[in-house]
């Protein structure tokens, strides 16, 4: 596919019509999620690595420098059980049940109560140790709590947050 920002992770920006190996991730990958012009992987050791475009900090390495190969997400070298990427942001679910997100935050999609982009993971407000599942959409994210409730935040112009309004919810 398209690789203009290095989102294929093979140390190039050459498009490919065939699958290519991701540099440094030949084994030990548990899950993968692709966002807009970037990709993240969860390793079997519970670490998160991302590559590609990083204009909004969506690689989570505490920079805004693009990378054509995987970089470690700041503070997530272990203890992660799930990942999900959206448009220019990503989220992770820790083994302790906490949600954390990083990258673009124009609509509050990081869930930290602000609309400030973050190049490193920030905690989702009110979901510490209470998350069972987490998913990122285009410009919003949702979680299922251990109590079985659905909670969503971010862009709500189309009603994606599910609160019967069209008001964005950081």
């Amino acid at each position: 596919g398209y690789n203009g920002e290095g989102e294929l992770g093979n140390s190039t920006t050459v498009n490919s019509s065939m699958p290519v190996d991701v540099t440094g991730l030949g084994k030990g990958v548990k899950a993968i999620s692709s966002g807009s012009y970037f990709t993240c992987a969860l390793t079997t050791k519970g670490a998160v690595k991302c590559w590609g475009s990083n204009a909004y900090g969506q690689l989570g390495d505490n920079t805004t420098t693009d990378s054509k190969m995987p970089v470690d997400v700041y503070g997530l070298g272990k203890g992660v059980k799930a990942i999900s990427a959206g448009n220019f942001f990503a989220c992770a679910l820790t083994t302790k049940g906490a949600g954390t997100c990083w990258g673009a935050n124009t609509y509050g999609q990081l869930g930290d109560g602000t609309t400030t982009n973050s190049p490193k993971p920030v905690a989702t407000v009110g979901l510490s140790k209470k998350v069972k599942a987490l998913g990122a959409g285009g410009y919003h994210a949702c979680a299922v709590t251990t109590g079985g409730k659905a909670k969503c935040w971010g862009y709500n112009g189309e009603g994606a947050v599910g609160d019967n309004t069209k008001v964005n919810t950081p």
Side-chain angles (χ1 to χ4, degrees), residues 63-162:
T63 76
T64 54
T65 304
D66 295 349
S67 180
K68 294 178 265 183
M69 54 192 286
V71 295
D72 295 331
V73 174
Y74 183 88
L76 296 181
K78 62 180 180 178
V80 175
K81 68 177 181 179
I83 56 170
S84 186
N87 285 344
F88 311 109
F89 80 106
C91 297
L93 172 59
T94 71
T95 54
K96 293 182 179 180
T100 184
C101 300
W102 60 92
N105 198 26
T106 306
Y107 305 104
Q109 60 266 45
L110 300 186
D112 66 345
T114 76
T115 55
T116 303
N117 297 344
S118 182
K120 64 181 181 179
V122 293
T124 52
V125 175
L127 292 177
S128 176
K129 299 181 182 179
K130 297 179 182 176
V131 180
K132 185 163 78 171
L134 184 73
Y139 298 100
H140 73 288
C142 295
V144 175
T145 68
T146 53
K149 292 183 180 180
K151 302 235 181 207
C152 298
W153 58 92
Y155 180 72
N156 198 27
E158 312 302 323
V161 173

Side-chain angles (χ1 to χ4, degrees), residues 25-38:
L25 291 178
K27 62 180 179 176
V29 177
K30 180 178 179 179
I32 196 159
S33 187
S34 297
S36 294
Y37 306 107
F38 78 106

